[in-house]
Amino acid sequence: MKVSVLGVGCTKFAELWDKSLHDLIAQAQFMALDDAGIAPVQIESIFVGNMLAQQFNGQAHLGAIAAQQLGINVPSVRVENACASGSSALVCGVHSILSGASNVVMVIGVEKMSDVAIAQATSALMGAGDYQAEHFVGATFPGLFAMVTRLYMQKYGLTGQNLSQQLASVSIKNHNNAVLNPLAQFNKKMTMDDYFNSPIVADPLRLLDCAPISDGAAAIIISSYDFAKKYGKNRINIIASTQATDTLDLASRCEITSFKATKIAGDKAFKIAGISRSDINVAEVHDAFSMAEIIALEDLGFFEKGRAGFETALGKTQITGELPVNTSGGLKAKGHPVGASGISQVTEIVNQLLGRCGQRQVNNPRYGLTHNIGGIGTTSVVHIFERE
Amino acid sequence: MKVSVLGVGCTKFAELWDKSLHDLIAQAQFMALDDAGIAPVQIESIFVGNMLAQQFNGQAHLGAIAAQQLGINVPSVRVENACASGSSALVCGVHSILSGASNVVMVIGVEKMSDVAIAQATSALMGAGDYQAEHFVGATFPGLFAMVTRLYMQKYGLTGQNLSQQLASVSIKNHNNAVLNPLAQFNKKMTMDDYFNSPIVADPLRLLDCAPISDGAAAIIISSYDFAKKYGKNRINIIASTQATDTLDLASRCEITSFKATKIAGDKAFKIAGISRSDINVAEVHDAFSMAEIIALEDLGFFEKGRAGFETALGKTQITGELPVNTSGGLKAKGHPVGASGISQVTEIVNQLLGRCGQRQVNNPRYGLTHNIGGIGTTSVVHIFERE
């Protein structure tokens, strides 16, 4: 398979009090159109990734907003898979092209979370887990991820101090990358002291292990490879678009320090792309919690199980390292407007492959990967991009 | 295009206090698997249509519930397009097959609405319209549809009494069909007196013009035509799957007594299917309000503009009429669990084409159509089915 990327756009991620859902969608849409150099009427289908607008903003039916703002009547739908909503929307968009239903598709991710109180947001986000088995009995995402982290520590014989230093190295790297990204929510360098001075949220996870509540939107325009080639726009291509699903509740799994859905989606993606792990030059992986980045890098096969934290601490995933990871700042520091996060990852990889990332630019990357999960690794979506 | 229907399943529609979201999904899933005669491991992809579970049941990520209940790890997503969520999920499922990504796909529609108060449900349903332009200023769906109805009356020179009799004939027909459907929420015959004795909800719409709040789920299993043919299961095929989008808010349209999205999706569907209106032997159209059925029958080209109400009053859309419409009882009387409604329509058409509808069976139909809208005709989805 091969689908081309014609253009990308991404808004600033932050608490955007002066921007409505409509505004955020429009801004990302027109940035992507501008980047692609095509007109709204050329879009044949729209997919919008969003999780919480119905509950937070009283607004469902976001597909219609996106179509109306372009003044077009094409098929448009919202796709939801919790924090993987954006990437799942992209999978649907790719299928729409490969099915022959559309030549040019716009995929948008958007979330406006700052309109509600933090406690309400934390509770609503548990919609990504199992209401009956987890939310009803008081579980929260930081709490569930803390359980995963504790078990990881035990399984790999790490002391609390060792593990914390590994987690800190993830968070510090991502925050320091975000300083180089004008679209990022946070723009302050972090130190080991900052990390250890941040309050514990769910032992052993600290505030600086957790992604923030954010507003933002991102958009990507894709087309069939033939269409792109005809117009000389086949520079960046999606060469794998895969997705897998694990159980919604953690209690139903045999293993929680590794996420089966990521392994399945990752293996399938590399098989379809026909490249190996070492070919990837830059990756954006899901770091809603710093522990999640460590697990993702292992499950995707970039590092041995139990090793990704060590390697991160050694600097392997820095912008100048062997495999730069989350050069954008990641969900942790660029921000995590959940429906937008997956598409935001894609915009970073596309910009990296095109050499447009300024101070955080990786040296001449050819292959990039995005990895986005929903729930505690319940849904996992992997995309691989290639520069021709 | 041609995609085959391997099996369908639908739960009872009602206020199902003793059934959870998980239960409803599972029941529809296993009915469809049983009908298809295939095993869960044969399903390669899942799409779930749902609008309100995050807000009403604290539960997003329904794709994962559906996959977990089948014990499989395949890609699974939720699709939302307000009251057209189920049908939009089917469009995505069809594209997944046509893209070559999957051979066998399960599409589920589900909604559990009775856990919240009616006022809360009415308010939440306005998520299908424009929050900024409509909900914020106090509009409700019955109110908006009443405006459409008043303008229709004026445009076609109908007196209030004449129009009410037309609306009543839609509602009475659908209620009387529902009496023959054991899955329907209502099972009481209606008379003209019942209609005129029912309270006015939004003048001129009465309680008996409006679909109820419902719980329920429906599922369909589809496959590539080749797969179905190989296993001798190519009896019912989807020969058109189209969707279009109009503006989210009514104020932005030039015309509200006809829905542009339905016209576009309908015209495209008949063109793709290569059949004419008169070939359709049975149809399920969106009747969340009885006015909506009249407009749908006109926009789909079955009757001239301004005529569908007259023709309905003359009995043309009865089970024994020229074009039987909403033999299931429709959204009005079978019930309207919004995410499930579109897939429920499909189960009725498939069962009609297979001659499995008992007392409400249409005489030997070959072609059937479903039409499902989200918002005030904002999203419109049309499917055409053929019995080989």
Side-chain angles (χ1 to χ4, degrees):
Chain A
M1 63 148 282
K2 218 178 222 188
V3 162
S4 297
V5 178
L6 305 185
V8 295
C10 190
T11 70
K12 169 91 178 160
F13 284 4
E15 292 183 0
L16 302 168
W17 305 102
D18 58 339
K19 294 270 191 297
S20 70
L21 255 184
H22 294 59
D23 295 337
L24 292 171
I25 294 171
Q27 196 182 337
Q29 285 183 299
F30 287 101
M31 287 171 85
L33 282 167
D34 187 41
D35 189 37
I38 66 169
V41 293
Q42 292 181 271
I43 303 292
E44 296 176 21
S45 201
I46 302 172
F47 295 86
V48 182
N50 171 269
M51 179 182 176
L52 297 160
Q54 170 69 36
Q55 189 171 0
F56 287 3
N57 321 107
Q59 185 67 70
H61 219 168
L62 300 191
I65 293 175
Q68 181 169 357
Q69 291 185 158
L70 297 184
I72 57 180
N73 297 104
V74 303
S76 188
V77 297
R78 174 165 80 101
V79 172
E80 183 267 320
N81 243 346
C83 301
S85 296
S87 299
S88 285
L90 181 54
V91 173
C92 290
V94 166
H95 290 170
S96 170
I97 286 175
L98 295 178
S99 73
S102 318
N103 266 309
V104 184
V105 171
M106 177 179 274
V107 184
I108 303 154
V110 64
E111 208 78 55
K112 180 149 182 63
M113 308 174 75
S114 65
D115 285 358
V116 301
I118 291 280
Q120 199 191 334
T122 302
S123 172
L125 284 165
M126 271 306 292
D130 192 310
Y131 187 87
Q132 291 179 188
E134 295 173 331
H135 192 180
F136 189 74
V137 291
T140 62
F141 265 90
L144 291 172
F145 243 107
M147 287 166 56
V148 168
T149 307
R150 281 221 163 272
L151 199 64
Y152 184 93
M153 197 162 93
Q154 196 178 60
K155 187 163 181 179
Y156 296 106
L158 297 164
T159 64
Q161 182 67 12
N162 278 347
L163 181 71
S164 290
Q165 280 171 342
Q166 294 181 12
L167 295 174
S169 67
V170 171
S171 181
I172 291 168
K173 165 181 70 70
N174 293 350
H175 270 282
N176 291 354
N177 290 348
V179 173
L180 308 175
N181 186 353
L183 299 178
Q185 185 161 358
F186 298 117
N187 54 7
K188 199 170 147 238
K189 279 198 172 261
M190 289 289 163
T191 64
M192 203 55 92
D193 278 353
D194 292 329
Y195 178 85
F196 282 101
N197 287 331
S198 75
I200 286 179
V201 170
D203 192 15
L205 299 181
R206 292 173 181 274
L207 185 65
L208 281 180
D209 287 306
C210 311
I213 298 294
S214 319
D215 304 332
I220 171 173
I221 300 171
I222 56 177
S223 79
S224 63
Y225 182 76
D226 290 345
F227 178 95
K229 183 138 193 168
K230 190 170 157 195
Y231 294 96
K233 290 178 188 289
N234 55 327
R235 195 141 170 242
I236 305 293
N237 301 304
I238 302 176
I239 56 173
S241 171
T242 61
Q243 183 174 322
T245 314
D246 201 352
T247 66
L248 191 56
D249 67 310
L250 276 188
S252 296
R253 301 188 201 167
C254 305
E255 165 63 276
I256 61 170
T257 61
S258 169
F259 299 151
K260 190 177 181 180
T262 295
K263 288 186 157 185
I264 296 173
D267 287 347
K268 202 170 160 190
F270 279 103
K271 196 173 160 195
I272 291 171
I275 63 170
S276 63
R277 267 72 176 175
S278 60
D279 290 322
I280 299 293
N281 307 115
V282 57
E284 291 277 308
V285 308
H286 196 96
D287 62 327
F289 298 96
S290 38
M291 189 68 228
E293 178 168 323
I294 291 174
I295 291 177
L297 291 175
E298 293 170 358
D299 288 340
L300 289 167
F302 291 120
F303 299 106
E304 295 288 308
K305 282 307 293 179
R307 290 294 310 171
F310 284 104
E311 306 289 357
T312 302
L314 291 173
K316 295 257 178 83
T317 56
Q318 303 269 8
I319 290 174
T320 52
E322 286 172 22
L323 175 66
V325 172
N326 289 331
T327 55
S328 70
L331 281 49
K332 173 69 200 85
K334 184 187 179 188
H336 186 23
V338 295
S341 297
I343 301 298
S344 160
Q345 293 179 320
V346 170
T347 65
E348 178 72 6
I349 293 299
V350 169
N351 284 327
Q352 283 286 358
L353 295 182
L354 289 170
R356 308 197 288 198
C357 285
Q359 284 189 278
R360 65 182 195 284
Q361 179 65 46
V362 167
N363 183 30
N364 195 31
R366 180 160 177 224
Y367 292 104
L369 175 145
T370 59
H371 160 265
N372 186 200
I373 63 176
I376 308 287
T378 295
T379 292
S380 185
V381 188
V382 174
H383 284 91
I384 299 179
F385 299 82
E386 170 199 49
R387 175 169 49 78
E388 279 211 349
Chain B
M1 64 147 283
K2 219 178 218 188
V3 161
S4 298
V5 178
L6 305 185
V8 294
C10 189
T11 70
K12 169 90 178 163
F13 283 4
E15 292 182 1
L16 303 168
W17 306 102
D18 58 339
K19 294 270 191 297
S20 70
L21 255 185
H22 293 59
D23 295 338
L24 292 171
I25 294 171
Q27 196 181 338
Q29 286 183 298
F30 288 102
M31 287 171 85
L33 282 167
D34 187 42
D35 190 37
I38 66 169
V41 293
Q42 292 181 271
I43 304 292
E44 296 176 20
S45 202
I46 303 172
F47 295 86
V48 182
N50 171 268
M51 180 181 176
L52 297 160
Q54 170 69 36
Q55 188 170 0
F56 288 2
N57 321 107
Q59 186 67 69
H61 219 169
L62 301 190
I65 294 176
Q68 180 169 358
Q69 290 185 157
L70 297 184
I72 57 179
N73 297 103
V74 303
S76 188
V77 297
R78 174 165 81 102
V79 172
E80 183 266 322
N81 244 345
C83 301
S85 297
S87 298
S88 284
L90 181 53
V91 172
C92 290
V94 166
H95 290 170
S96 170
I97 286 174
L98 295 179
S99 74
S102 319
N103 267 309
V104 184
V105 171
M106 178 180 274
V107 184
I108 303 155
V110 63
E111 209 78 56
K112 179 147 183 65
M113 309 175 75
S114 64
D115 285 357
V116 300
I118 292 280
Q120 198 191 334
T122 302
S123 172
L125 283 165
M126 270 308 290
D130 192 309
Y131 187 87
Q132 291 180 189
E134 295 173 332
H135 191 181
F136 188 75
V137 290
T140 63
F141 264 91
L144 291 172
F145 243 107
M147 286 165 57
V148 168
T149 307
R150 281 223 162 270
L151 198 66
Y152 184 94
M153 196 162 94
Q154 197 178 59
K155 185 163 182 179
Y156 296 106
L158 296 164
T159 64
Q161 182 66 14
N162 277 348
L163 180 72
S164 291
Q165 280 171 344
Q166 294 180 12
L167 295 174
S169 68
V170 172
S171 181
I172 292 168
K173 166 181 70 69
N174 292 351
H175 270 282
N176 291 353
N177 289 349
V179 173
L180 308 175
N181 185 353
L183 299 179
Q185 184 161 358
F186 298 116
N187 54 8
K188 197 169 148 237
K189 278 198 173 264
M190 290 288 164
T191 64
M192 203 53 93
D193 278 352
D194 292 328
Y195 178 86
F196 282 101
N197 288 333
S198 74
I200 286 178
V201 170
D203 192 14
L205 299 181
R206 292 174 181 272
L207 184 65
L208 281 180
D209 287 305
C210 311
I213 298 293
S214 319
D215 303 332
I220 171 173
I221 299 171
I222 56 177
S223 79
S224 62
Y225 182 76
D226 288 345
F227 178 96
K229 183 139 191 166
K230 189 169 157 194
Y231 295 97
K233 289 177 189 291
N234 57 326
R235 198 144 168 240
I236 305 293
N237 301 304
I238 301 176
I239 55 172
S241 171
T242 61
Q243 183 175 323
T245 314
D246 201 352
T247 67
L248 191 57
D249 68 308
L250 275 187
S252 297
R253 302 189 200 166
C254 303
E255 164 64 276
I256 62 169
T257 63
S258 169
F259 299 150
K260 190 178 182 181
T262 296
K263 287 185 157 186
I264 296 173
D267 286 348
K268 201 170 162 191
F270 279 104
K271 198 175 159 194
I272 290 171
I275 63 170
S276 63
R277 268 71 178 174
S278 59
D279 290 323
I280 299 292
N281 307 117
V282 58
E284 292 277 308
V285 308
H286 196 95
D287 62 325
F289 298 95
S290 38
M291 189 68 227
E293 177 167 324
I294 291 173
I295 291 176
L297 291 174
E298 294 170 358
D299 288 339
L300 289 166
F302 292 121
F303 299 106
E304 296 286 310
K305 283 306 295 178
R307 290 296 306 169
F310 284 105
E311 306 289 358
T312 302
L314 292 173
K316 296 256 178 84
T317 55
Q318 302 270 8
I319 290 174
T320 52
E322 287 172 22
L323 174 66
V325 173
N326 289 332
T327 56
S328 69
L331 281 48
K332 173 69 199 86
K334 185 186 178 190
H336 187 21
V338 296
S341 298
I343 302 298
S344 159
Q345 293 178 319
V346 171
T347 64
E348 178 72 6
I349 292 299
V350 169
N351 284 326
Q352 284 286 356
L353 295 181
L354 289 170
R356 307 196 289 199
C357 286
Q359 283 189 281
R360 65 183 194 285
Q361 180 63 47
V362 168
N363 184 30
N364 195 32
R366 178 158 179 226
Y367 292 105
L369 175 144
T370 60
H371 161 266
N372 186 199
I373 63 175
I376 308 288
T378 295
T379 292
S380 185
V381 188
V382 174
H383 283 91
I384 299 179
F385 300 82
E386 169 199 52
R387 175 169 49 80
E388 279 210 349

